[in-house]
Amino acid sequence: MSRKVHSSRTEGVDKNVWVEFTQLAADYKAVNLGQGFPDFSPPEFIREAFCDALKGGPAMHQYTRAFVSKTIPRGCVCLPISMVLYLSLVAIFFFVQGHPPLVKILAKFFGRIVGHEIDPLEDILVTVGAYQALFCAFQALIDEEDEVIIVEPFFDCYQPMVVMAGGKPVYIPLRPREGRAVLSSGDWVLSPEELASKVTPRTKAIVINTPNNPLGKVYKLEELQMIADLCIKHDLLCFSDEVYEWLTYDGAKHVKIASLPGMRERTITVGSAGKSFSATGWKVGWAIGSRDVIKHLKIIHQNSIYHCATAAQEAVARGFEREYEVFGAPDSYFQQLPAMLHNKRQKLATCLQSVGLNPIMPEGGYFMIADISSVKVDLNDESNKVESRDFRFVKWLIKEKGLATIPVSAFYSPEHGKEFDKYIRFCFVKEDSTLKAAEDILKKWSQRE
Amino acid sequence: MNFAWHLLNGSKLSRRSASSACRRSFTSQRVMMSRHTNAKRIAGLDKNVWVAFTSVAADPSIVNLGQGYPDIPPPSYVKEALAKAASVDRMNQYTRGFGHPSLVKALSQVYGKVCGRQIDPFKDILVTVGGYGSLFSTMQALVEEGDEVIIIEPFFDCYVPMVRMAGGQPVLIPLRPKPGKIPTSSTDWYLDPDELSRKFNSRTKAIIINTPNNPIGKVFTKDELQVIADLCIKHDTLCFSDEVYEWLVYKGHQHVKIATLPGMWDRTITIGSAGKTFSVTGWKLGWSIGPEHLMKHLQTVMQNSLYTCPTPLQEAVAQGFLLNYEMMGRPECYFSALAEELEGKRDRLAAILQEAGMTPVVPEGGYFMLVDVTPLGQDLSLMAEDEAYDYKFVKWMIKEKKLAAIPVTAFVGEDSTKHFEKYIRLCFIKQDSTLEAAGNILKNWRRV
């Protein structure tokens, strides 16, 4: 074909760090502490739930039923009285919600946590992973020229999603606190003045991620309050990516910004079954928010993929039903998983310290970043002067040492990337044997130096 | 699913004067959350009204030949493959974004054989969330403001909103019944080549075809596809070919892939569906196949929208394909066996409808059948709504006869309504007992 065929929205968003580095890790058969997924199995109860779902009769393998709601929709569809009366006899207006048992238990589960009722039919959208929930949010609510504030370091998809929706990302970095040793993700903070300076009349939304990927920061109540104040003052939306919500360590508490006064009507909270149940390959996620905002996400969803896989939703529903009963008790997977990861986190940190890499201890999440400034190696890549130091180092580490990580400047905007290209990211949600293999590689390397 | 006509021509419903209560509440909402407005791309796409059509999904007393999904079980080996896949640790974690390696390799084998060409599993294939997800990735990747996209009526209803959401302009052209006869088969519907040719212009980006077609069941012949191909080549346009029902083609007919016609591979995206292939619509897996220079843009959309599809489901579909690849062309192959089973159901339903005095349009492929209900002479004048006949008929039939179907004008634009409003669509991928129950209702139609 002689003419340009691709749409403009695909321009500038075609590069992807995962595609590149996952391929490299596979090619070199590296010990993979790169991509964020567990290499251990999901808990038995959730695997059983999936098997049970598969045996659950033919309906489990067909489109899930749209939930039927006998309400006239609010908003833009206005009907003549005669039509309304007729419709009330047989009427339904439906929006494809998600598998009914799943939305019901999610509403119950999270309603209890936030302390107010969540309507399963109106306030929840089930998506193909949290990734798709974010996609729906950006597509539904961000228009040409809208600005979206993104806190750095950020999960890398936020930027291309804003751009694909025609919006403009505006970045603000978390910065290590000055004047003291920076040992924990808690030492990285937002400057309220700097944040306030980023708001313009075009600002539509702010994206936060807590616990944060890659840093592991768990925002404190005061920090979220500061962000909330700004949202309310300037009438902004807040997209809160909380996929790692159960994974907090050393007594750090996960706080939902949607539960702060004035935030419920303007916040979309995104969650993930993959991260909650260590089953990232199931790709089940959700967006929860007020109906007036969620309804727009549903329109995107209905016009893009329409349904999510039934059996996976059924299994996740059963998983949450079980967790609802044991919430807070030692039996709960949401207690056991962070306890298990707490130890792994410690092991990895100790190992990195012992070889002269300086880890920033994460308060939450799957990841730990380490400062590689003290490492002196000949990267042997004279031809590559374009890429930043951390990218080059990570490639070298994969090829020469067989250990895969992710360069942290991938989580920064081009304008701030240079300040932070001395960090690499490790995932510690791995079997002990994987962590041991990584430890062996690092020890061997440091002994040779 | 949407009222196609509303999307194309502005909502008929909202043209009526709004009740003042409605207007008041809308205004106050606007004041309260003035900034929380939706993006323009979804304007006009919110009207998702299927009055009375999906309430039946929850009502077991209604015989449901409406919605298009099987109530027959999928083959046991695919269910077993899924259970087996889920028991492998690695299968519960993320796989390759553009498609699980074993699945894309299996697809490249199967379709390589069908198309008679080498298909690169990593560059020429994208796995998506259903055929629907493939349509979405295709539109987002390749359609934008200023583009026209030709859509053949009747069409699977998502095509229009997807084109609109991508900023494109849908241009409709109807299939027409051959003059001088009452249509009794999907072969009696054709596309007028001159009429089609006039729809192409310099703004035309693509044409969407669906073969076998939903809802008519038409299977486009090679000659018909050649007419379309010639126009695509002449005007340098793309072709999006929705072939989700590709294996469901009945005796005497053959599914032809437009991508295999000369000059077409480089400009065609072909879409398939595991849900329709293996009777597992709830798995929501599909794929797009095409040349690398087009597919890379669909892959860009994928990596920025949902990134990857569920792993164990992809593994199970891969196993399903590998098993059937060996048997392709033989009666034991599921693709042939399912078609044979459905042909029987098709014929049974057609006979039932004929016995009831109606005129079915026997499809060459797919799992839907159109039927002309005017021979029943059903008086619907008491239903005062200003609505197409088929909508009134279906609503009435659900309420009075407890039998559900889908009105065919849901699949056409406003201008074509008068040509299609005497038809309703019935789905026959249903258990024999469901078809018999429908038969009983129809037999007793005249009884009050």
Side-chain angles (χ1 to χ4, degrees):
Chain A
M1 286 197 62
S2 53
R3 60 205 275 199
K4 171 195 170 226
V5 286
H6 63 274
S7 61
S8 310
R9 69 179 66 83
T10 61
E11 283 167 9
V13 295
D14 50 323
K15 295 247 175 308
N16 185 284
V17 66
W18 309 109
V19 173
E20 192 185 358
F21 283 94
T22 316
Q23 192 57 55
L24 209 53
D27 290 344
Y28 285 86
K29 301 199 184 351
V31 172
N32 199 348
L33 300 198
Q35 203 181 356
F37 60 83
D39 64 1
F40 49 80
S41 55
E44 191 156 334
F45 71 84
I46 203 86
R47 284 181 289 150
E48 270 167 23
F50 196 66
C51 286
D52 287 346
L54 298 184
K55 291 187 213 134
M60 282 294 122
H61 298 282
Q62 309 306 334
Y63 296 129
T64 183
R65 303 292 203 273
F67 203 100
V68 178
S69 157
K70 288 190 166 53
T71 56
I72 310 295
R74 289 158 281 268
C76 24
V77 178
C78 298
L79 305 166
I81 298 297
S82 59
M83 178 82 88
V84 168
L85 286 175
Y86 184 84
L87 289 179
S88 63
L89 290 177
V90 290
I92 50 100
F93 288 95
F94 82 89
F95 293 104
V96 174
Q97 317 276 354
H99 189 51
L102 178 56
V103 292
K104 281 189 190 145
I105 186 59
L106 287 174
K108 203 168 145 192
F109 192 96
F110 287 103
R112 186 168 66 174
I113 292 181
V114 298
H116 62 72
E117 251 199 60
I118 293 175
D119 186 327
L121 307 188
E122 310 284 352
D123 301 343
I124 303 182
L125 173 66
V126 173
T127 54
V128 179
Y131 211 96
Q132 201 229 337
L134 289 162
F135 178 73
C136 289
F138 288 113
Q139 286 286 310
L141 300 164
I142 304 302
D143 239 332
E144 272 316 299
E145 316 265 305
D146 283 344
E147 288 178 12
V148 179
I149 297 176
I150 297 177
V151 179
E152 302 178 288
F154 56 90
F155 180 53
D156 70 304
C157 79
Y158 304 159
Q159 180 257 343
M161 284 189 183
V162 168
V163 168
M164 206 167 122
K168 177 168 173 260
V170 170
Y171 302 98
I172 175 164
L174 287 160
R175 295 180 194 285
R177 246 197 272 266
E178 288 191 23
R180 42 200 247 206
V182 174
L183 299 171
S184 151
S185 58
D187 297 320
W188 291 62
V189 293
L190 278 179
S191 149
E193 296 77 33
E194 192 181 3
L195 179 59
S197 75
K198 300 288 179 179
V199 181
T200 75
R202 289 220 153 93
T203 310
K204 188 82 180 280
I206 176 167
V207 187
I208 64 168
N209 173 218
T210 179
N212 168 277
N213 171 9
L215 184 58
K217 178 178 177 65
V218 174
Y219 287 68
K220 299 186 184 43
L221 179 61
E222 315 82 75
E223 291 173 307
L224 293 175
Q225 190 60 65
M226 186 263 291
I227 295 170
D229 290 343
L230 211 60
C231 287
I232 293 165
K233 178 176 176 186
H234 297 280
D235 197 19
L236 306 178
L237 292 165
C238 179
F239 300 168
S240 185
D241 176 353
E242 301 183 13
V243 297
Y244 303 106
E245 59 187 305
W246 313 115
L247 304 182
T248 56
Y249 314 114
D250 290 337
K253 260 185 67 81
H254 175 70
V255 179
K256 287 182 167 297
I257 197 170
S259 62
L260 270 52
M263 288 305 285
R264 180 177 166 185
E265 72 225 33
R266 62 182 71 253
T267 304
I268 295 171
T269 305
V270 167
S272 158
K275 304 291 194 283
S276 296
F277 293 113
S278 305
T280 59
W282 289 15
K283 291 290 291 184
V284 175
W286 49 85
I288 300 179
S290 86
R291 65 193 57 196
D292 293 306
V293 176
I294 291 290
K295 73 182 182 200
H296 301 307
L297 277 69
K298 285 181 185 167
I299 294 170
I300 297 290
H301 185 71
Q302 280 152 219
N303 288 296
S304 57
I305 70 163
Y306 202 76
H307 289 102
C308 300
T310 312
Q313 293 187 71
E314 175 68 21
V316 171
R318 294 181 198 199
F320 266 106
E321 278 158 18
R322 185 246 189 213
E323 285 297 308
Y324 184 81
E325 299 306 322
V326 298
F327 191 67
D331 254 9
S332 158
Y333 189 65
F334 300 160
Q335 297 286 324
Q336 292 171 340
L337 182 60
M340 173 173 63
L341 294 185
H342 190 280
N343 295 333
K344 293 181 192 285
R345 179 189 78 137
Q346 195 55 58
K347 258 178 87 75
L348 180 64
T350 308
C351 161
L352 293 175
Q353 269 151 355
S354 72
V355 300
L357 292 171
N358 295 310
I360 312 286
M361 206 59 164
E363 298 156 283
Y366 265 19
F367 308 104
M368 179 179 297
I369 72 172
D371 185 339
I372 57 168
S373 329
S374 59
V375 173
K376 305 266 180 291
V377 282
D378 177 5
L379 296 179
N380 220 10
D381 60 347
E382 283 310 306
S383 54
N384 186 357
K385 291 285 184 233
V386 180
E387 285 188 324
S388 54
R389 180 153 197 256
D390 55 345
F391 269 74
R392 292 162 58 207
F393 181 77
V394 166
K395 286 186 182 172
W396 177 87
L397 198 60
I398 292 175
K399 293 177 186 171
E400 300 299 328
K401 300 294 171 192
L403 177 62
T405 58
I406 300 287
V408 166
S409 65
F411 302 91
Y412 278 89
S413 60
E415 55 242 51
H416 297 134
K418 280 239 161 345
E419 263 177 82
F420 300 96
D421 70 354
K422 56 180 185 169
Y423 297 103
I424 64 176
R425 185 194 83 169
F426 292 82
C427 174
F428 53 85
V429 184
K430 304 289 176 187
E431 291 265 38
D432 285 343
S433 53
T434 313
L435 296 172
K436 179 84 180 38
E439 191 178 0
D440 290 341
I441 290 172
L442 290 167
K443 284 222 157 74
K444 205 160 126 194
W445 173 34
S446 74
Q447 272 151 20
R448 289 247 190 88
E449 303 287 303
Chain B
M1 303 225 233
N2 301 279
F3 279 171
W5 66 28
H6 293 138
L7 298 169
L8 292 170
N9 301 300
S11 164
K12 205 165 168 212
L13 292 174
S14 65
R15 270 207 288 269
R16 295 174 186 275
S17 54
S19 70
S20 57
C22 204
R23 221 189 342 239
R24 260 203 306 279
S25 76
F26 182 58
T27 312
S28 65
Q29 277 177 356
R30 264 225 301 249
V31 165
M32 190 169 71
M33 287 181 291
S34 55
R35 303 288 306 283
H36 300 176
T37 50
N38 51 281
K40 291 191 214 57
R41 66 181 59 83
I42 57 174
L45 302 187
D46 54 318
K47 294 165 186 63
N48 208 333
V49 180
W50 271 75
V51 178
F53 307 143
T54 46
S55 65
V56 301
D59 184 345
S61 71
I62 295 180
V63 177
N64 193 353
L65 299 195
Q67 277 181 284
Y69 62 82
D71 66 3
I72 60 175
S76 54
Y77 57 79
V78 281
K79 288 188 285 177
E80 278 154 23
L82 181 55
K84 191 155 160 239
S87 69
V88 175
D89 282 355
R90 187 65 189 84
M91 294 292 153
N92 289 303
Q93 308 303 337
Y94 293 132
T95 184
R96 175 178 172 268
F98 305 143
H100 187 52
S102 58
L103 178 55
V104 293
K105 285 179 191 160
L107 289 170
S108 112
Q109 254 189 316
V110 169
Y111 287 103
K113 182 171 175 174
V114 169
C115 296
R117 70 178 300 134
Q118 282 250 27
I119 295 176
D120 185 319
F122 301 112
K123 300 199 174 118
D124 300 343
I125 300 179
L126 175 68
V127 175
T128 54
V129 178
Y132 215 97
S134 269
L135 288 161
F136 178 73
S137 300
T138 301
M139 307 286 186
Q140 287 288 307
L142 303 170
V143 175
E144 61 181 342
E145 198 90 26
D147 289 340
E148 287 182 11
V149 178
I150 298 173
I151 298 174
I152 300 168
E153 295 168 301
F155 52 88
F156 181 53
D157 69 307
C158 79
Y159 300 162
V160 162
M162 284 190 182
V163 167
R164 287 270 308 271
M165 204 166 111
Q169 175 64 37
V171 170
L172 304 186
I173 175 171
L175 285 167
R176 295 186 187 281
K178 289 186 179 144
K181 68 176 296 225
I182 294 170
T184 52
S185 153
S186 57
T187 55
D188 295 329
W189 295 77
Y190 77 109
L191 208 54
D192 182 323
D194 294 324
E195 190 181 4
L196 179 61
S197 166
R198 287 195 294 277
K199 300 287 180 181
F200 278 80
N201 60 48
S202 59
R203 286 183 303 280
T204 310
K205 189 69 170 290
I207 177 169
I208 304 177
I209 65 170
N210 175 215
T211 179
N213 165 277
N214 170 9
I216 292 187
K218 179 180 174 62
V219 173
F220 284 73
T221 62
K222 188 156 184 220
D223 290 339
E224 289 173 316
L225 293 175
Q226 192 62 61
V227 168
I228 296 170
D230 290 343
L231 285 164
C232 286
I233 291 166
K234 178 176 175 185
H235 294 273
D236 198 19
T237 68
L238 298 170
C239 179
F240 305 158
S241 186
D242 177 353
E243 300 182 16
V244 296
Y245 301 104
E246 60 187 305
W247 310 110
L248 303 180
V249 174
Y250 307 120
K251 280 198 211 59
H253 310 286
Q254 217 206 341
H255 176 68
V256 178
K257 287 182 164 300
I258 196 170
T260 58
L261 269 51
M264 289 305 285
W265 170 260
D266 283 329
R267 59 182 71 251
T268 304
I269 304 282
T270 306
I271 290 167
S273 157
K276 304 290 193 275
T277 298
F278 291 110
S279 306
V280 285
T281 59
W283 289 25
K284 286 293 294 189
L285 278 179
W287 44 85
S288 306
I289 299 180
E292 183 188 349
H293 71 97
L294 294 181
M295 289 307 301
K296 69 184 186 194
H297 303 301
L298 275 70
Q299 290 177 342
T300 298
V301 172
M302 182 68 171
Q303 89 196 16
N304 291 302
S305 58
L306 53 101
Y307 198 77
T308 182
C309 291
T311 315
L313 296 169
Q314 294 189 67
E315 177 62 28
V317 173
Q319 296 306 320
F321 267 113
L322 289 172
L323 196 78
N324 283 290
Y325 177 73
E326 302 301 326
M327 302 188 278
M328 262 168 80
R330 305 208 306 257
E332 316 87 89
C333 177
Y334 185 68
F335 312 151
S336 316
L338 181 62
E340 194 170 322
E341 185 183 354
L342 288 187
E343 188 162 343
K345 290 181 190 289
R346 176 195 74 162
D347 295 342
R348 181 78 201 105
L349 182 62
I352 288 171
L353 294 168
Q354 276 154 348
E355 276 158 29
M358 294 196 269
T359 315
V361 177
V362 179
E364 304 155 76
Y367 43 69
F368 303 105
M369 181 178 299
L370 253 52
V371 62
D372 180 346
V373 297
T374 45
L376 289 174
Q378 193 58 51
D379 179 8
L380 299 175
S381 54
L382 292 177
M383 291 175 71
E385 297 79 21
D386 177 16
E387 251 191 336
Y389 183 82
D390 56 346
Y391 269 84
K392 289 197 276 201
F393 185 88
V394 168
K395 276 188 222 170
W396 178 89
M397 185 171 74
I398 290 172
K399 192 162 154 239
E400 300 297 332
K401 298 294 179 187
K402 300 276 192 193
L403 174 62
I406 299 288
V408 171
T409 58
F411 302 89
V412 305
E414 191 163 345
D415 293 343
S416 295
T417 301
K418 53 187 177 297
H419 302 299
F420 288 93
E421 64 178 330
K422 54 185 186 170
Y423 294 104
I424 62 174
R425 183 195 85 169
L426 297 165
C427 174
F428 54 86
I429 185 165
K430 303 288 178 188
Q431 300 205 29
D432 286 342
S433 53
T434 313
L435 298 174
E436 292 309 319
N440 287 334
I441 291 172
L442 291 165
K443 257 188 244 164
N444 297 316
W445 192 270
R446 300 260 172 240
R447 295 195 203 153
V448 175

